[in-house]
Amino acid sequence: MSSRPTSVIIPPPEEIVVTTKRVACDGGGGALGHPLVYMDMGEDDHVECGYCDRKFVLATKKKAGGDYHSPAARPPEAH
Protein backbone atom coordinates (compact mmCIF):
# COMPACT_ATOMS: atom_id res chain seq x y z
CA MET A 1 0.00 0.00 0.00
CA SER A 2 1.46 3.38 -1.01
CA SER A 3 1.34 6.40 1.20
CA ARG A 4 -0.43 9.42 -0.33
CA PRO A 5 -0.46 12.95 1.08
CA THR A 6 -3.78 13.90 2.61
CA SER A 7 -3.51 17.54 1.54
CA VAL A 8 -1.83 19.53 -1.19
CA ILE A 9 -0.10 22.77 -0.31
CA ILE A 10 -0.58 25.44 -2.97
CA PRO A 11 1.60 28.53 -2.66
CA PRO A 12 -0.22 31.86 -2.40
CA PRO A 13 -0.45 34.02 -5.54
CA GLU A 14 2.44 36.35 -6.26
CA GLU A 15 1.96 39.83 -4.78
CA ILE A 16 3.53 42.75 -6.64
CA VAL A 17 3.74 46.22 -5.09
CA VAL A 18 3.18 48.96 -7.68
CA THR A 19 3.13 52.75 -7.58
CA THR A 20 0.23 53.35 -9.96
CA LYS A 21 -3.39 52.20 -10.16
CA ARG A 22 -2.99 51.04 -13.79
CA VAL A 23 -1.07 47.79 -14.29
CA ALA A 24 -0.45 45.25 -17.02
CA CYS A 25 0.09 41.51 -16.61
CA ASP A 26 1.20 38.76 -18.98
CA GLY A 27 1.75 36.04 -16.40
CA GLY A 28 5.50 36.62 -16.38
CA GLY A 29 6.20 33.29 -18.04
CA GLY A 30 7.12 34.45 -21.54
CA ALA A 31 5.61 31.94 -23.94
CA LEU A 32 4.17 30.07 -20.94
CA GLY A 33 2.38 33.16 -19.62
CA HIS A 34 -1.05 34.41 -20.71
CA PRO A 35 -2.39 37.17 -22.99
CA LEU A 36 -1.37 40.68 -21.96
CA VAL A 37 -4.14 42.30 -19.93
CA TYR A 38 -4.41 45.83 -18.56
CA MET A 39 -6.16 46.45 -15.26
CA ASP A 40 -7.21 49.55 -13.31
CA MET A 41 -7.71 49.46 -9.54
CA GLY A 42 -10.44 52.09 -9.58
CA GLU A 43 -11.29 53.04 -5.99
CA ASP A 44 -9.45 50.02 -4.51
CA ASP A 45 -5.78 49.76 -3.53
CA HIS A 46 -5.27 46.39 -5.23
CA VAL A 47 -6.34 44.33 -8.25
CA GLU A 48 -5.98 40.63 -9.09
CA CYS A 49 -5.24 39.20 -12.51
CA GLY A 50 -8.08 36.98 -13.73
CA TYR A 51 -5.65 34.67 -15.54
CA CYS A 52 -2.81 34.01 -13.09
CA ASP A 53 -4.15 35.42 -9.78
CA ARG A 54 -1.17 37.77 -9.37
CA LYS A 55 -2.16 40.49 -6.92
CA PHE A 56 -1.01 44.03 -7.67
CA VAL A 57 -0.98 46.17 -4.50
CA LEU A 58 -0.70 49.95 -4.54
CA ALA A 59 2.29 51.33 -2.62
CA THR A 60 1.88 54.42 -0.48
CA LYS A 61 3.97 56.53 -2.89
CA LYS A 62 2.16 57.15 -6.20
CA LYS A 63 3.42 57.97 -9.70
CA ALA A 64 1.61 59.98 -12.35
CA GLY A 65 -1.76 58.49 -13.37
CA GLY A 66 -0.59 57.73 -16.94
CA ASP A 67 2.10 55.25 -15.88
CA TYR A 68 1.50 51.53 -15.59
CA HIS A 69 3.42 48.49 -14.35
CA SER A 70 5.53 46.82 -17.04
CA PRO A 71 4.71 43.12 -17.42
CA ALA A 72 8.28 42.35 -18.53
CA ALA A 73 9.86 39.34 -16.87
CA ARG A 74 12.00 40.15 -13.87
CA PRO A 75 14.60 38.11 -12.00
CA PRO A 76 13.23 36.25 -8.95
CA GLU A 77 15.02 38.56 -6.50
CA ALA A 78 13.10 41.56 -7.95
CA HIS A 79 9.69 40.13 -6.95
Side-chain angles (χ1 to χ4, degrees), residues 11-72:
E14 181 180 10
E15 190 170 290
I16 301 171
V17 178
V18 296
T19 55
T20 180
K21 288 187 163 251
R22 293 184 196 161
V23 295
C25 184
D26 67 357
L32 299 176
H34 58 70
L36 180 63
V37 292
Y38 297 91
M39 298 165 282
D40 192 306
M41 295 180 195
E43 297 297 319
D44 296 328
D45 62 353
H46 67 278
V47 67
E48 291 184 18
C49 177
Y51 283 98
C52 66
D53 292 333
R54 274 181 168 176
K55 185 174 184 178
F56 295 88
V57 179
L58 187 63
T60 55
K61 182 181 176 185
K62 298 179 184 177
K63 282 189 178 178
D67 295 342
Y68 66 89
H69 176 73
S70 171

